[in-house]
Amino acid sequence: MPDTAPALESNASKTELPDLAISISGLTKVYEGENGREKKEALTNVDLAVPRGSFFGLLGPNGAGKSTMINIMAGLVNKTSGSVRLWDFEIDQQERQSRCAIGIVPQELNLDPFFTPRETLEVQAGLYGVRRHERRTDEILETVGLSDKADAYSRTLSGGMRRRLLIAKAMVHSPPILVLDEPTAGVDVELRQTLWKSIREMNARGTTILLTTHYLEEAEELCDQIAIINHGRVVACDTTDTLLKQLDNKTVVLLLSENLSEIPQAMRRFDPCQPTANQLEITYRPSSTAMLDILQTAQDIKLPIADIVTEEVDLEDIFLQLTSSEPKMP
């Protein structure tokens, strides 16, 4: 775990690290309607627990409430009701400590074009009260791969480099929690891999990562826990593996060395379809049908199998199932 900012160090009574990096309870945000418009409830009684040291994904469609939640944590939006604790600091009662506990990487490229990366980090460190001898400007620039651009104007950096500079900017006060709001939007594949290498290393050193992304395969690969939010409500929250098991649905395709004129009678109980004359495609529920049963039946009737292809459920299937309809009211 990197050294924490002065505001965190000053709380000498906290001798143990909190179990939860982020603890949200009953969080509700209602935007008042203007010019006769109805009120808009952006968040409704949200509960969320992000374990210390985790790589946590927060997913949801546009307008689901993700940005509102992040802005509340950052102190940019006032909540209507509920409790938010960052590193066990309540955001209303312990504002300074809670702000120092979190670093936000926003979607927007909010950089001063006339500052160099080194100057950008120095100014940001000063805003957080990090003393000069405690600043890690060169170390952070090296971490995000910007050492060779340290003294170039920010306006001359590529889009990917600017993304990395935003991450560096969020790290200057050594926050134990790093929030990444769509950090790889518009970034090419190679640069995305570089970014994730750096972020994985930070997570391995103890930094808690909260990620929002529309790249679901990215979340599936990186996150050990995922929450899905829809219409301001958390509709799912569990480990990534557990979420992937929620859809009791798999597909196996039997590729045959010979064409079939019709589906064999013994295989019809699995309700297969026949995309081509030399294929049988079976979609089944693992909870009620075993793959071994399908293969044993095919072997018993001497089906000429040349190859087998299986299709697993992915996070996109879960996401679409949970966000395709209005959430149920409690």
Side-chain angles (χ1 to χ4, degrees):
M1 168 75 72
D3 293 335
T4 53
L8 299 183
E9 292 175 346
S10 65
N11 192 5
S13 63
K14 289 187 179 295
T15 58
E16 296 183 1
L17 296 175
D19 292 331
L20 296 178
I22 301 172
S23 177
I24 297 175
S25 177
L27 180 61
T28 297
K29 173 60 183 177
V30 180
Y31 289 101
E32 296 294 332
E34 296 181 357
N35 299 323
R37 296 178 182 175
E38 293 184 358
K39 294 181 179 181
K40 168 66 176 178
E41 194 165 31
L43 295 172
T44 305
N45 199 31
V46 170
D47 294 332
L48 197 65
V50 178
R52 171 173 52 85
S54 65
F55 204 129
F56 197 97
L58 181 63
L59 309 182
N62 290 332
K66 304 185 301 298
S67 293
T68 297
M69 189 184 303
I70 290 172
N71 287 336
I72 289 172
M73 287 190 286
L76 301 176
V77 170
N78 293 324
K79 59 186 173 64
T80 301
S81 62
S83 170
V84 178
R85 301 186 72 87
L86 304 176
W87 212 245
D88 211 21
F89 297 109
E90 218 285 331
I91 63 169
D92 290 333
Q93 300 173 10
Q94 299 161 296
E95 291 186 27
R96 185 166 182 260
Q97 294 95 326
S98 63
R99 300 296 183 271
C100 287
I102 194 169
I104 306 284
V105 181
Q107 294 183 40
E108 299 80 13
L109 294 171
N110 56 351
L111 297 169
D112 190 315
F114 298 103
F115 277 17
T116 67
R118 176 174 281 115
E119 290 169 340
T120 297
L121 300 196
E122 285 292 312
V123 169
Q124 187 76 357
L127 292 174
Y128 274 95
V130 181
R131 293 181 287 268
R132 287 190 178 276
H133 70 278
E134 294 176 336
R135 295 177 188 177
R136 303 180 299 118
T137 299
D138 289 336
E139 177 190 335
I140 293 172
L141 288 172
E142 183 178 355
T143 297
V144 299
L146 288 176
S147 294
D148 59 337
K149 298 290 184 179
D151 298 309
Y153 285 123
S154 296
R155 66 176 184 269
T156 67
L157 302 180
S158 67
M161 290 178 180
R162 294 179 190 183
R163 288 282 175 194
R164 281 185 274 170
L165 182 53
L166 284 179
I167 294 174
K169 188 178 174 183
M171 293 168 56
V172 295
H173 58 295
S174 302
I177 305 166
L178 191 62
V179 177
L180 307 169
D181 193 5
E182 300 286 347
T184 56
V187 175
D188 63 52
V189 175
E190 184 177 357
L191 214 50
R192 188 179 299 167
Q193 294 300 321
T194 302
L195 279 175
W196 289 132
K197 182 176 183 293
S198 298
I199 293 167
R200 276 192 176 111
E201 290 172 354
M202 282 186 274
N203 180 240
R205 291 196 296 268
T207 302
T208 302
I209 307 294
L210 177 65
L211 166 71
T212 77
T213 179
H214 281 108
Y215 298 106
L216 299 184
E217 73 282 359
E218 200 168 67
E220 184 174 342
E221 178 183 353
L222 293 167
C223 300
D224 42 61
Q225 294 191 50
I226 288 173
I228 298 176
I229 186 171
N230 191 35
H231 298 291
R233 298 175 182 270
V234 174
V235 295
C237 184
D238 216 321
T239 65
T240 305
D241 289 341
T242 301
L243 280 177
L244 291 174
K245 292 175 183 176
Q246 279 192 15
L247 280 184
D248 187 20
N249 200 33
K250 287 190 177 182
T251 299
V252 59
V253 180
L254 305 180
L255 304 176
L256 310 176
S257 58
E258 301 174 9
N259 292 340
L260 296 177
S261 58
E262 62 178 359
I263 297 174
Q265 186 65 38
M267 299 297 295
R268 292 183 182 179
R269 68 188 179 96
F270 301 115
D271 195 23
C273 63
Q274 195 173 8
T276 64
N278 67 335
Q279 289 186 26
L280 284 181
E281 183 177 302
I282 300 170
T283 299
Y284 66 101
R285 296 182 178 277
S287 61
S288 58
T289 303
M291 167 78 85
L292 184 59
D293 189 17
I294 296 172
L295 297 180
Q296 186 62 56
T297 302
Q299 183 179 0
D300 290 344
I301 63 173
K302 296 182 171 52
L303 206 61
I305 298 176
D307 201 358
I308 298 173
V309 178
T310 59
E311 297 177 6
E312 297 286 340
V313 171
D314 61 19
L315 189 58
E316 183 174 355
D317 298 317
I318 303 290
F319 182 84
L320 291 174
Q321 183 190 64
L322 292 172
T323 61
S324 60
S325 61
E326 293 282 342
K328 295 180 180 180
M329 299 296 290

